[in-house]
Amino acid sequence: MTTTALQPRTGRPLRALVDRLLIIGLDGATFDVLDPLMDAGRMPHLRQFIAEGAAGVLHSTQPPITPAAWTTFMTGKGPGRHGILDFETYDATQHRLTFNSTYQIEEKTIWELLGEKGLRVGSINVPMTFPPRAVNGFMISGFETPSIDAEFTYPPELKADIFRLIPNYNYRTNWQRGTFGRRQLLRENLDYIANSFDQGAKLTEYCGEKYGWDVLMVVFKLVDNLQHKAWKYLDPRTSHRYPAEAELAAQCFARLDAALARVFEYAERRSATVLIMSDHGHGSLDGKVQPNLLLSRWGYLVLRNPLDQAATRAGHWLHRLTKGRATRFEQGSRGIERDLAVDWAATRACVMHAGIYGYLYINLAGRGPLGIVPPGEYERLRDELAERFWAVESRDPQGRTVRVFPQVHKTEVLYRCDRASHPNLPDLLLVPHPGLAVVRKIRGRQAVRWCRSDRLEGTHRQEGILALRGPNVRRGARVEANIADITPTTLAALGLRVPVDMEGRVIGEAFTTPPVVEPEPPLEKVLEEKRDIYSDEDRRILEKRLSDLGYLE
């Protein structure tokens, strides 16, 4: 692209390379899917965009999961700073699972930082923005919004405008299953997803014009859902077996390309630079790992005898009959023990929840109500467990031996943070072999349950996508960056100072002239009391939505 005059803009202390920035999030997008589609002529507008700008791999967080990754993007800091690892958090002091919201984010987001500097912002469907907060502009909350009954916009009156513009607007993922008429169901599912792309483009232009903006963002969330559910129709190893279904999936991505073209055209009319990003990549879900089964075999986790387990299940069903359907987010241990009837008096460690990775907690005495492990044994036990998990191997369906957990991290070391400041961080983070996903439940007797190719679905990978186009973007540049780099790059490109405590770097190589990078003191967030804002009905809705994507196993 051509280089424009580089002058400080009013209200911006440094030389700005970007006047306005429009950020497009393609949740879970990967070049492994997009490149073949572009080569086949299915996505000509995206292909042209990449050819005229800079592009490359954007590395995700550990774990590469929606809440951790999008919050890292929004803050320029990792999970050890912003406090979000997964959709849910295990509170070890209370022995309960809670669902994350904007009240749990411990650092300022890009929307706060830009607004405080006088810039107008707009955020459409970005995950981890519910409930929406007051910003200098507007916000439509994202994936974790339970339903349209919630207050999901700022300002509140924007909600009515959305329904006038899109009467059937909703937050359902809506993937239908059935034994008969599967191809027709697939067609309906993909049409629903494609319509969400159209809606995202429509909201971008409508809200952008209504509120004005310096930085505007829209996330096309259901790209991720599409790949979770239709991976076997997208993966070159299997798609040839399903030519009709593969064609329907390709047509859905063509609809995404058409929606992107509308957003590109709008950005051009507003003289905006465009940045496309994903929060993580995607690949095949080859199998599911059961670390709690291993912990049980090794004697660290003890399940109650079958009679006690039956009593636990009976108590769960009685609770459903008397108090409504139980969820995993209930107060106390009932929701946790619905899946695992654990004898806590004899259990030293347990994976309390899983989101691609496994979150393992030591049952530490003095930390929670049921702890038994003496503090003096904590580090020895962590090291022992890390060594045992790292040594686990399995033979895949092709007969190859794979290390099931190639990485096992102490979270405070991985995130370079203080455990005392983040007491709910797992004691160990279990990183599975690419293509495997950790599950919390115990099903059967195999530590790794490999998936059949005819039931192949998708799961997350570290390698996402990044692409930029606009004045002062270096055409043809190939870049490699981390998702934490996007917010510092945004600030510097807009001619703003970058807080010195941001963990990301400025991606200077993407521009014809590197941005001026001038640090400023940390901008600390005044922390609010962390509170659970979801009702029982909200939790049921969210649990079903996430379970449908395999997140809460």
Side-chain angles (χ1 to χ4, degrees):
M1 305 298 285
T2 58
T3 301
T4 61
L6 305 179
Q7 300 294 329
R9 183 176 170 180
T10 303
R12 303 185 192 179
L14 307 173
R15 183 192 67 201
L17 300 182
V18 170
D19 184 40
R20 283 178 167 166
L21 181 65
L22 198 158
I23 304 173
I24 300 172
L26 303 180
D27 198 292
T30 170
F31 285 122
D32 290 345
V33 168
L34 297 178
D35 279 345
L37 289 166
M38 290 188 286
D39 291 344
R42 297 287 191 165
M43 304 189 77
H45 300 100
L46 181 60
R47 183 185 181 92
Q48 181 180 357
F49 180 97
I50 291 173
E52 294 176 351
V57 171
L58 187 68
H59 295 279
S60 187
T61 47
Q62 287 190 289
I65 194 169
T66 296
W70 284 120
T71 308
T72 295
F73 148 69
M74 288 190 289
T75 60
K77 302 171 185 178
R81 299 286 298 283
H82 59 63
I84 303 296
L85 264 183
D86 194 3
F87 290 103
E88 55 190 349
T89 292
Y90 173 63
D91 184 341
T93 64
Q94 301 294 320
H95 188 53
R96 66 188 292 256
L97 289 165
T98 57
F99 205 82
N100 285 320
S101 73
T102 51
Y103 283 99
Q104 277 69 46
I105 299 175
E106 298 176 1
E107 298 285 344
K108 286 190 176 183
T109 67
I110 188 173
W111 319 120
E112 296 169 287
L113 294 171
L114 292 172
E116 290 171 2
K117 295 175 183 292
L119 276 70
R120 297 282 293 176
V121 300
S123 171
I124 302 171
N125 293 335
V126 180
M128 285 308 301
T129 55
F130 181 82
R133 317 313 296 269
V135 295
N136 184 26
F138 73 92
M139 179 174 285
I140 302 171
S141 61
F143 177 71
E144 70 287 354
T145 307
S147 72
I148 57 174
D149 295 329
E151 294 304 320
F152 62 85
T153 66
Y154 178 86
E157 58 267 22
L158 174 56
K159 182 176 178 179
D161 292 341
I162 291 173
F163 288 120
R164 280 192 289 270
L165 184 71
I166 306 171
N168 62 343
Y169 185 83
N170 66 75
Y171 283 93
R172 297 192 304 273
T173 51
N174 219 51
W175 192 270
Q176 303 175 75
R177 296 180 178 87
T179 304
F180 303 103
R182 290 183 179 178
R183 190 173 298 166
Q184 180 58 31
L185 280 177
L186 176 65
R187 182 178 287 107
E188 293 172 6
N189 288 331
L190 296 180
D191 189 57
Y192 180 87
I193 289 173
N195 285 336
S196 79
F197 302 153
D198 299 338
Q199 292 174 1
K202 185 181 293 187
L203 282 173
T204 300
E205 183 169 1
Y206 174 83
C207 295
E209 291 303 284
K210 181 177 177 68
Y211 292 97
W213 54 280
D214 295 292
V215 176
L216 174 59
M217 182 170 187
V218 59
V219 170
F220 294 95
K221 176 64 183 74
L222 296 192
V223 175
D224 182 67
N225 299 47
L226 167 59
Q227 293 175 139
H228 272 291
K229 294 302 185 183
W231 185 260
K232 65 183 177 182
Y233 311 134
L234 299 165
D235 191 323
R237 298 174 301 170
T238 54
S239 60
H240 63 278
R241 304 178 196 168
Y242 313 97
E245 291 82 357
E247 172 63 22
L248 291 174
Q251 289 174 8
C252 191
F253 273 99
R255 291 273 297 276
L256 172 62
D257 191 66
L260 291 175
R262 289 181 58 183
V263 179
F264 296 160
E265 191 275 332
Y266 175 61
E268 187 173 355
R269 282 192 279 122
R270 292 293 170 261
S271 302
T273 295
V274 176
L275 184 152
I276 300 175
M277 64 177 293
S278 65
D279 55 331
H280 52 75
H282 228 90
S284 57
L285 174 59
D286 302 320
K288 298 179 180 181
V289 191
Q290 304 189 92
N292 280 332
L293 176 61
L294 292 170
L295 288 170
S296 178
R297 284 180 182 169
W298 298 335
Y300 299 101
L301 184 152
V302 178
L303 300 178
R304 295 199 295 272
N305 64 53
L307 288 177
D308 286 343
Q309 292 183 42
T312 298
R313 294 192 185 97
H316 161 66
W317 283 103
L318 178 62
H319 181 86
R320 285 189 63 169
L321 292 172
T322 59
K323 297 184 179 179
R325 180 169 177 253
T327 75
R328 64 196 280 116
F329 304 106
E330 288 181 287
Q331 178 72 32
S333 64
R334 183 188 301 276
I336 294 170
E337 297 193 10
R338 187 187 69 184
D339 296 327
L340 291 172
V342 177
D343 181 355
W344 294 106
T347 290
R348 290 184 287 164
C350 181
V351 170
M352 299 306 299
H353 61 113
I356 311 300
Y357 292 4
Y359 309 116
L360 183 146
Y361 290 82
I362 304 291
N363 193 20
L364 184 63
R367 178 167 64 178
L370 305 175
I372 65 167
V373 175
E377 296 182 16
Y378 173 75
E379 285 298 344
R380 181 195 62 75
L381 181 56
R382 276 212 298 178
D383 291 340
E384 181 181 309
L385 287 168
E387 185 175 345
R388 295 200 72 163
F389 275 111
W390 184 82
V392 174
E393 293 181 340
S394 179
R395 195 172 294 275
D396 72 10
Q398 287 72 45
R400 298 169 298 196
T401 298
V402 299
R403 193 174 295 281
V404 175
F405 297 104
Q407 299 176 52
V408 181
H409 295 287
K410 296 180 179 180
T411 48
E412 74 276 15
V413 176
L414 175 65
Y415 299 134
R416 303 189 302 277
C417 67
D418 177 11
R419 283 201 68 84
S421 302
H422 298 280
N424 290 331
L425 281 177
D427 297 306
L428 290 175
L429 191 66
L430 308 181
V431 182
H433 181 78
L436 297 179
V438 176
V439 297
R440 178 178 168 277
K441 299 176 182 178
I442 297 176
R443 296 289 184 269
R445 298 184 178 182
Q446 298 297 319
V448 179
R449 293 186 286 120
W450 296 97
C451 300
R452 290 167 35 183
S453 62
D454 62 331
R455 295 185 177 179
L456 194 65
E457 293 190 343
T459 192
H460 301 178
R461 297 289 195 276
Q462 281 282 330
E463 300 80 15
I465 72 164
L466 174 64
L468 301 89
R469 185 178 71 176
N472 304 314
V473 172
R474 187 155 65 94
R475 181 172 181 148
R478 287 296 168 259
V479 297
E480 186 170 0
N482 187 281
I483 195 167
D485 301 337
I486 302 300
T487 283
T489 300
T490 295
L491 294 171
L494 289 165
L496 302 171
R497 296 185 177 92
V498 179
V500 71
D501 62 338
M502 283 198 170
E503 297 179 1
R505 69 176 181 92
V506 173
I507 312 169
E509 65 272 25
F511 299 92
T512 53
T513 302
V516 175
V517 182
E518 188 173 302
E520 67 178 3
L523 302 176
E524 293 186 6
K525 180 174 181 176
V526 177
L527 295 180
E528 302 171 273
E529 180 184 354
K530 293 183 180 181
R531 54 193 178 101
D532 188 355
I533 50 84
Y534 295 101
S535 69
D536 289 343
E537 179 60 23
D538 291 340
R539 295 187 190 98
R540 283 191 282 272
I541 292 169
L542 291 170
E543 182 176 349
K544 183 179 186 307
R545 185 181 303 165
L546 292 168
S547 296
D548 284 347
L549 293 173
Y551 288 132
L552 299 185
E553 291 188 79

